[in-house]
Every structure is written in C-alpha cells, then in structure tokens.
Amino acid sequence: MFRFPSVLLYRRLHRRKLSTTPSRPPSLPLSHPIYLIWGSNTGVGKTLVSAGIAAASLLSSATTPSQFHYLKPLQTGFPADSDSRFVLNKLRQLSLRCNPSVHLSASHRVLNVSPAVPEINPPAGEEGRGPSELHCKTLYAWEEAVSPHLAAEREGLAVKDSVVLETLGKCFEEVVERGACRERSDVLCVVETAGGVASPGPSGTLQCDLYRPFRIPAVLVGDGRLGGISGTISAYESLTLRGYDVVAVAFEDHGLLNEGPLMSYMRNKVPVLVLPPIPRDLSNDLIEWFENSHHIFSNLKEIMLSAYFERIKKLQDMPREAMDIIWWPFTQHQLIPDGGVTVIDSRCGENFSVFKKTEVIAPQFDACASWWTQGPDAIMQAELAREMGYTAARYGHVMFPENVHEPALNCAELLLKGVGKGWASRAYFSDNGSTAIEIALKMAFRKFSVDHGLIVDCHEDTTNERPTELMVLALQRSYHGDTLGAMEAQAPSSYTGFLQQPWYTGRGLFLDPPSVFMHNNTWNISIPEGYNWESLKGESIAFSSRDEVFHKGRDKSELATVYSSYISEVLSRFKGSKNVGALIMEPVIQGAGGMHMVDPLFQRVLVNECRSRKIPVIFDEVFTGFWRLGVETAAELIHCVPDIACFGKLLTGGIIPLAVTLATNAVFDSFIGDSKLKALLHGHSYSAHAMGCAAAVKSIQWFKDPSSNPNITSEGRLLRELWDDKMVRRISSHPVIQRVVTLGTLCALELKAEGTSAGYGSLYARPLLEKLREDGIYMRPLGNVIYLLCGPCTSPQVCNQLLAKLHRQLDEFDGFKN
C-alpha cells in the first residue's frame, strides 16, 4: 500500500536572502549509513541507481520496515526535470506492482527554488507515517537545464558552498531524528550529485570539492558506453585523490565488457556491478528493468551496509588498538585519560574530522596547525595532492648528489629569491628541521674555523686532532630539534635532562634574553637579572602597540646600549681553549620553549656583536619561516640577515617533510677545495626528494600570491592582521592570564599558575583544553601555555571566532578554578 506524498511548499530564494557562513562545517552523523551517488558523467543513470537502491531497501521485505532518504542537493531543469520526484514516483509504481503488502509512506519536499521557477501546485494528499518510509528532498532547484553554476548565475540565485553544506547538514539531522528508533541497517540515506564528479556547484566549486568536508563514502555510477572505461577511471581517481572512499562502481551494460578493464584497474578491491541494458522502449516505464535489476541493487545495498559497519567498527576500535601498539611522541601514556585518544578520520583544510562517541564525524579546527606545519585551506590541500600525485608518478624518488630535477631546481630558485633574498646563494636540502640544524652547525663551524685559521690541510683525515673546542652562542628557552647535535646547541631544559638525553652536555654559552608580551592591554618587555637597566625610565620597557616593539628606531635607545653591554660582558668572560663558533637562535618567537617573544632589538644587537667578532650567525626558522609570524621570513622583523638559515614545516605547506639550509656564498666557499674531504660530507637518502620540492614550490607561490591567499597585503610583504586587537586586549586582561603573544598566525597565552601547575610537565590546562575540543577547537598545551595557530590563508573571521570561543571558555575555566 502506498500513501501519496505531500509536497512541502518550497521557499523561493532571492540573492539577498543568502545565509551567512556558519561558524564551522556541520557534522556527519554515523548512526545510519549515508552515501554519495556520483556519476562519471551526466546521463549515466545516477537517479536510476538511487531508485534501485531505494527499492532494494524498502520493497524487499514486508516484515522488516525500513526508512530511505533520497537527497538531491542541486537540481537544474526544474520542475520539468526533478530527480527526487522521479525516485518517489518510481517507488510508488514498484510498490504497487512488486510488493503491495509493504506499507509504504512517503514525502516529497523541495526546499528552495530560484525566482525563475514557475509556480506549481502541489498534489493533494498528506504525508503518511507507515512502517516503511521514503523521504525525498530537493534542496536547491533552478529552471534552466544547465550546469548549476550557469543556472545560478543566469537566474539570480547564487548559493554559497557553506550554505549548501549547512542545508545538507540539517537534512542529515532530520535523518537521525526520523531514524532514532530504528536499527542501523533499517535506515539508508543517499545524496545524489548533479552531473559528473567534477561538475561545478552553484558557486563554481567542483562538486568533488564542494562535498569534501563531509567525506561521505561514495558509490560511483560508471559509463558502460564506448569511452566509458576512461571516463569511469578518471572519475574514480578524482574522488580518491580527494580522499573519498568509493565502495562500489555500477554501470549499465552496453555489451562492451567494460567491467573487465575496470576490475583489473581496481585490482578487485572495489566491486564492479553491471546493470542490465536500459530498454529504449519505455512503454512499461522501466518497471521490468527494475525488476530484472533487483538482485543487483540488493547486492549493492549489502555492499554499502557492509562497508558502513566495517567503518564504524574500525573507528570504534582504533583508540584501544592504538593504545596497545603505538608509542606517541611527547606523551606520558599513563596519563592519557579514558577517551583521551582522538580518532581523526580525515582532514579538510584547517579542520580535523574527528570521530566522537556520539557517533558523528565532527569538525575540529586544528589550532596546533598539526604541530606547526600546516598552512593549506581546503582548496590548497587539493592542489598539493594533485601536485604530489603528478610528481610521484613522474619521479618516484631519485637520489640527489650531482643530479638535478625540475622540482629541486625550481624550489632552490624560489628560496633564494624569497626567504634568502639579498643574502643567501646556496640551498642545501635535507629531510626535517632538526637535520637542517645539524647541517647549519657544520657549516657555521667550518666557516668560523676557516676565518680564524683553525684549518690548515684537508687532504688527510685528521679527525683526532682538534685545535680547539667549538661552542655555540644560544639563548635560554631555545629549542632546535631532537637529534643529538641539535640538542647540544640548546640550553638545558625538560628536553635535555638525563631522563631524556644522557649524553647531553650543552656545548654552548646560553644568554638569558628579554621577552616581550602583552598584559593588561600593554606590551611589556621583561628584562632578566644580569642586565644593568635600573637607570632606564619605565616607559622604555612598555609600549602601547606591538609595532613600536619592532621599530628600528629603537637602535638608538638606551636599552640597545644595555643589551650591547650585557652581551659583550658575557662574551668577555668566555675564554680559554673553547671558542664560540656560531650564534644560533630562533628569530623573534621561541616555539617549544613556551611561545616566548624575544625582544627583536636584543636579537639585532646580538647579531651585530657576533658579526664584529666574525662569529657566523644561524637563524632557526623551522617554526618561524614562511608567513608563520606574518612575514615570509622573520629576518624582516629583526631587520638583519643571517649567514645561514634553516627552514622546514610550512616550507611544503606541511603536507610532507622537507627542510633546507640556506647559506651565503662565503659559507659555501669554506667547503671548496681540491680534496673531497673538505666537502660537506652530510646527506640523507631523501635529500631534495621530488615530491617535497614540488609541494614546496606550490606552497611558496601560493602563500605569497594575493590571488590565492587573500591575507597577503597589496605590497605582498605582510599578512593582514588575523587576530582582533580588541579581543586580544580583553584576553590579556583576563584574571587567569599571565601573558599574551600575538604575531602573524600565532596567538599564545600563558595561564597564571604556580608550583607544579606551571612548567612544561603541568597538566593545569587540561580541563580548559577538553572544553575547547568540545567546542570545536583542537589544542595541545606546552604545560600551562596554550596557543592558537592558524595558517597564512585563514580568514580573520575564523580567527575571531576562535578568540571568542577561547574567551568564553576562559570565563568558565576561571569559575571552575575558583
């Protein structure tokens, strides 16, 4: 029995009635299976497949009531062509013909139509709620039968991607609500796309990109016609390249045996189902075709259910399995609370897609920028995936010494014209930031040794003869990586104690630098003990704005003289058989040391003092480089350049590890000679690997191009301000806040804490971070220091939303602590 559907009167949309962008992408519920139905092209039978799956779900049994939801987000050619109406009418016919004992109720709704769509009268009737239910919806409809982006432009109805996703998310909520009392397998939802995989949506975004934030598993309707093998494989690759899971391919049989090559290409990992030829005589309205195809659609439905249950089980089991076999970095496993393992299903742009116990895939803004490496938005992520796929197919991996390939050469040229402009002449590639530091130390020590006459003959290996011991000049709170040599170049800390590094000796002279921060609306400089600054006036160490801190005019201040005297005095006490062979420092921001901002004036004075003593200068820009601090290189902030600089993390957009050490021609020349023993004998199997270099080229160009990165100012030298100054000042005055640092993509806060509640080992911030994660922000602390880290392309609106949530949670945290 079939109860005639009602039609919910649609809402006529106008250009002025567009919704605003939601605060964050909607969640994907997993209480019941949801699938996207894609087509390798238009006209391949997506709607027939949707109707067939609906029939297999609703009409197979009279004893097991089911619920099927058909969603058509984008429909053109309406009302003459309506896929949701076709599915509904076809199920009505099939129900009456094939299984009249099934009590089926149905509804049909069209939510939004363009102003060009003529008025239509809904048929009489009311929505029924029988044991088995069919719910069909069209979300947005246009009259002209063209691609949605053309229809939207011509009919005056432009719908933002975020609005489409928000509307679709609300439909998913209704699926959950209607299916609340049913078993998982008794409810099935399909979302049928428009046209082909890469057909544009109403905004012009390709639909494979438009729906990517949900990452809904896919059924691909292929093409059984001549040329269909190529089109089906292209569509499949377009989906998998974007991270979709394709659970099955189905297509109409045209007698060309397309299934053979498709199964061979997919190596039998994805089922390929062949549907009977569609009759050209439609006199019986395809009823017999659906009857003959019923067993295939039943098989397809079982494949979809099986993949759904397998996914659910995998997501539920991952935390326990991970706890049993994985050893996480920087993690005390004994302190991981129940439910403390975050299951990340995927990433889309700046958001994790996190599996929650409430059985949803929910977005969380990655405020750690995945440990400081990430910069891409969703569009750039797709670009990088394509670029790396091409490069992997072209090169695989090739060794580098005395070889060159296009990605490495292009990358080196961009580096020397960008972050190395005006000072660097050579690029030395390695595989991560810590090894880039090791290389930089070798370079600096060689340059120092040559300049100071410590090397005489390199034709023999005289490693046992060391005329002096070389040390570094570095800063307290410094951090340069976890390899043994890099750790020797940093001050004693939680990372270097006997528990962590029994070999550590700390081969350096470590200065205690002045730090800059905001507190109670004012930017302050905190000067440690050991500086002779008591005679300075109070206004010399407090500033009304951050820009004043970076002003080069401070070089003539009395504080500059205080810094110079302190540095000279410390260096003068360092005598004997040891020499300071290199200065190494993180310019402006010390990351792992607690997100401290070092006074740029101090660092500039320090560089000048070292230059006067012919001590090579290394900038560790692994964290700070490539727009992390609002400029392409932090050297621009301290108004001086190094002899050697190290870059990583954002170099590739964070999608794959790669690092580079840049050096001046003078540093390079110190390794030139007649003997190979004088060369820099250091390297890695993956030095300058092609995929990393290609990703770096794409990222360097993307971040600094105003057409792809709207945050770049017209001059192309700065990022616009991302963090709302008023909100930052409010947070700096909050009673639980000790200090705030904002610069570029970074907003860091130190919570007021004492004793064991302070320091790197503190768990003081955990309750606050748990609340923030519930609020859609993924953060990880540095003890009682927490931070928000966005990407160079993140909009200020998103950053403001993050600050607002943080401020709200700080209020609750304050109440909790009191």
Side-chain angles (χ1 to χ4, degrees):
M1 181 177 65
F2 183 86
R3 296 185 180 178
F4 203 86
S6 67
V7 179
L8 181 69
L9 287 176
Y10 52 78
R11 182 164 59 101
R12 193 170 295 277
L13 288 184
H14 298 276
R15 195 183 297 272
R16 291 173 297 179
K17 292 186 178 180
L18 291 176
S19 301
T20 57
T21 302
S23 58
R24 55 173 160 150
S27 300
L28 176 69
L30 296 180
S31 54
H32 305 287
I34 300 175
Y35 278 90
L36 274 169
I37 308 297
W38 295 95
S40 59
N41 205 338
T42 190
V44 293
K46 296 189 301 295
T47 308
L48 294 178
V49 170
S50 297
I53 299 170
S57 299
L58 297 174
L59 307 180
S60 296
S61 172
T63 59
T64 305
S66 300
Q67 190 180 97
F68 190 88
H69 295 260
Y70 172 86
L71 303 177
K72 183 74 174 181
L74 309 173
Q75 176 73 65
T76 59
F78 185 86
D81 186 10
S82 172
D83 293 335
S84 60
R85 187 176 63 237
F86 174 88
V87 171
L88 182 133
N89 288 338
K90 197 56 57 183
L91 265 291
R92 173 176 178 262
Q93 294 170 332
L94 290 169
S95 174
L96 295 173
R97 164 86 177 253
C98 304
N99 203 340
S101 62
V102 173
H103 294 275
L104 180 65
S105 64
S107 67
H108 179 219
R109 289 190 279 173
V110 182
L111 302 187
N112 308 286
V113 299
S114 82
V117 173
E119 295 287 349
I120 58 174
N121 294 318
E126 61 180 12
E127 179 179 355
R129 288 298 299 268
S132 291
E133 303 173 27
L134 171 65
H135 302 283
C136 298
K137 287 185 191 174
T138 296
L139 277 57
Y140 296 92
W142 295 263
E143 182 186 30
E144 191 173 0
V146 293
S147 177
H149 75 291
L150 285 177
E153 180 180 343
R154 292 174 180 177
E155 298 180 22
L157 170 61
V159 185
K160 295 180 181 179
D161 295 348
S162 59
V163 176
V164 174
L165 295 178
E166 184 177 22
T167 305
L168 190 55
K170 291 178 180 178
C171 292
F172 292 155
E173 292 174 3
E174 185 175 335
V175 171
V176 174
E177 181 181 347
R178 287 182 177 271
C181 297
R182 297 180 183 262
E183 296 295 326
R184 291 180 185 273
S185 58
D186 291 339
V187 179
L188 182 59
C189 174
V190 300
V191 181
E192 184 183 313
T193 60
V197 164
S199 295
S203 72
T205 300
L206 304 186
Q207 288 178 74
C208 50
D209 294 323
L210 167 60
Y211 299 117
R212 175 56 183 82
F214 282 122
R215 207 183 79 86
I216 301 170
V219 172
L220 175 61
V221 181
D223 192 344
R225 297 169 295 189
L226 184 64
I229 296 171
S230 175
T232 303
I233 290 175
S234 295
Y236 175 82
E237 289 191 341
S238 293
L239 291 173
T240 56
L241 190 62
R242 287 166 172 80
Y244 289 99
D245 296 325
V246 179
V247 304
V249 176
F251 64 89
E252 177 196 357
D253 186 6
H254 285 263
L256 299 177
L257 302 178
N258 284 7
E259 64 271 20
L262 289 175
M263 292 172 67
S264 176
Y265 170 78
M266 296 176 185
R267 301 184 184 277
N268 295 318
K269 294 181 180 178
V270 178
V272 178
L273 292 81
V274 182
L275 297 166
I278 299 173
R280 299 300 167 245
D281 179 10
L282 301 181
S283 59
N284 73 341
D285 213 11
L286 295 176
I287 296 300
E288 289 186 7
W289 183 84
F290 276 104
E291 290 176 339
N292 295 334
S293 305
H294 186 75
H295 68 286
I296 299 175
F297 286 123
S298 294
N299 185 20
L300 176 55
K301 185 198 75 169
E302 292 304 318
I303 291 171
M304 296 164 69
L305 290 176
S306 176
Y308 163 76
F309 282 112
E310 182 179 345
R311 182 188 190 191
I312 293 294
K313 186 177 187 307
K314 186 180 297 183
L315 290 169
Q316 291 173 339
D317 291 347
M318 282 174 67
R320 174 184 53 78
E321 293 175 353
M323 287 289 290
D324 289 342
I325 64 174
I326 288 177
W327 191 343
W328 284 293
F330 296 96
T331 299
Q332 176 51 261
H333 283 233
Q334 187 168 309
L335 297 178
I336 299 176
D338 291 340
V341 178
T342 300
V343 178
I344 301 175
D345 178 72
S346 67
R347 180 190 187 95
C348 186
E350 297 164 311
N351 293 309
F352 292 154
S353 294
V354 174
F355 176 68
K356 294 196 169 184
K357 290 182 178 179
T358 52
E359 295 202 335
V360 298
I361 299 290
Q364 280 189 346
F365 185 90
D366 177 13
C368 298
S370 278
W371 255 359
W372 317 348
T373 66
Q374 290 293 301
D377 55 15
I379 299 172
M380 184 182 176
Q381 180 179 341
E383 288 276 345
L384 288 172
R386 285 194 292 274
E387 192 71 28
M388 291 178 62
Y390 163 78
T391 307
R394 179 178 174 183
Y395 293 102
H397 175 60
V398 294
M399 67 176 293
F400 195 56
E402 299 176 58
N403 296 327
V404 68
H405 49 75
E406 189 176 354
L409 184 60
N410 290 345
C411 184
E413 290 173 344
L414 283 172
L415 288 165
L416 297 180
K417 292 176 182 177
V419 292
K421 185 177 181 180
W423 66 271
S425 64
R426 297 283 171 167
Y428 199 104
F429 290 103
S430 56
D431 52 5
N432 64 74
S434 185
T435 53
I437 293 294
E438 301 265 357
I439 293 164
L441 291 170
K442 290 183 177 181
M443 290 178 176
F445 290 153
R446 172 67 65 84
K447 180 66 167 65
F448 179 87
S449 298
V450 169
D451 288 348
H452 293 266
L454 301 180
I455 295 178
V456 179
D457 186 4
C458 291
H459 288 276
E460 296 182 6
D461 184 0
T462 57
T463 53
N464 291 325
E465 298 180 14
R466 298 179 181 271
T468 186
E469 184 177 351
L470 296 180
M471 311 287 282
V472 298
L473 182 63
L475 304 181
Q476 296 286 345
R477 302 189 301 267
S478 58
Y479 180 86
H480 302 294
D482 295 325
T483 54
L484 297 183
M487 295 185 81
E488 286 295 299
Q490 60 199 45
S493 68
S494 302
Y495 310 110
T496 62
F498 188 82
L499 278 174
Q500 300 297 330
Q501 217 284 63
W503 281 2
Y504 174 79
T505 59
R507 302 185 186 187
L509 181 62
F510 303 108
L511 307 177
D512 198 358
S515 59
V516 181
F517 58 90
M518 177 185 280
H519 183 67
N520 284 335
N521 291 323
T522 302
W523 284 92
N524 303 279
I525 297 179
S526 175
I527 300 180
E529 295 182 3
Y531 291 75
N532 184 19
W533 62 278
E534 287 78 5
S535 61
L536 293 178
K537 297 179 181 179
E539 56 265 24
S540 298
I541 55 173
F543 302 88
S544 60
S545 74
R546 189 189 59 209
D547 290 345
E548 294 179 22
V549 177
F550 290 100
H551 200 283
K552 201 170 184 303
R554 295 181 61 210
D555 287 355
K556 299 178 181 180
S557 68
E558 187 177 349
L559 192 56
T561 303
V562 170
Y563 290 161
S564 179
S565 298
Y566 166 76
I567 295 165
S568 297
E569 181 181 352
V570 172
L571 287 173
S572 67
R573 297 199 305 261
F574 192 71
K575 297 178 180 179
S577 60
K578 299 179 181 180
N579 284 293
V580 173
L583 165 66
I584 181 169
M585 65 179 187
E586 302 154 274
V588 185
I589 296 292
Q590 296 178 309
M595 296 296 178
H596 288 274
M597 180 188 291
V598 179
D599 186 358
L601 173 62
F602 174 82
Q603 292 192 317
R604 188 160 57 250
V605 171
L606 179 57
V607 168
N608 292 335
E609 291 290 339
C610 289
R611 285 266 157 74
S612 68
R613 294 167 172 80
K614 291 186 177 182
I615 298 174
V617 175
I618 302 169
F619 284 0
D620 177 355
E621 290 218 53
V622 174
F623 170 57
T624 62
F626 294 106
W627 308 101
R628 182 57 76 201
L629 304 185
V631 289
E632 191 170 23
T633 166
E636 297 179 37
L637 295 174
I638 59 176
H639 305 291
C640 58
V641 297
D643 301 295
I644 303 163
C646 303
F647 297 89
K649 299 191 185 300
L650 266 176
L651 168 61
T652 64
I655 201 165
I656 192 170
L658 183 75
V660 67
T661 305
L662 302 185
T664 63
N665 217 42
V667 173
F668 175 74
D669 286 344
S670 66
F671 288 84
I672 300 301
D674 297 333
S675 171
K676 184 175 181 178
L677 297 179
K678 194 175 182 181
L680 180 47
L681 305 181
H682 189 115
H684 304 273
S685 298
Y686 288 94
S687 292
H689 59 93
M691 284 193 292
C693 290
V697 169
K698 176 66 71 174
S699 298
I700 292 170
Q701 294 172 332
W702 189 280
F703 288 143
K704 69 197 309 180
D705 184 352
S707 66
S708 53
N709 183 2
N711 290 332
I712 293 291
T713 59
S714 57
E715 298 82 9
R717 293 187 60 252
L718 299 171
L719 290 183
R720 60 175 169 167
E721 192 64 45
L722 300 178
W723 309 102
D724 180 68
D725 185 62
K726 290 183 179 178
M727 180 58 78
V728 170
R729 290 180 180 275
R730 285 181 63 189
I731 291 174
S732 77
S733 302
H734 200 282
V736 303
I737 297 300
Q738 181 69 35
R739 62 180 176 90
V740 175
V741 170
T742 57
L743 186 61
T745 68
L746 171 68
C747 176
L749 325 172
E750 182 176 346
L751 302 174
K752 287 182 179 178
E754 298 178 354
T756 57
S757 294
Y760 181 75
S762 166
L763 300 178
Y764 183 74
R766 176 178 281 181
L768 174 61
L769 298 192
E770 289 176 351
K771 289 292 185 181
L772 285 164
R773 291 184 185 184
E774 292 174 6
D775 207 6
I777 305 176
Y778 184 92
M779 298 175 70
R780 183 179 171 90
L782 292 164
N784 61 312
V785 174
I786 63 173
Y787 59 90
L788 297 167
L789 202 60
C790 66
C793 302
T794 307
S795 71
Q797 292 77 15
V798 169
C799 292
N800 293 342
Q801 291 168 3
L802 298 175
L803 287 177
K805 290 182 178 182
L806 175 59
H807 187 267
R808 183 171 65 248
Q809 295 298 342
L810 286 173
D811 286 341
E812 294 186 12
F813 180 72
D814 186 26
F816 172 77
K817 303 311 291 184
N818 293 327

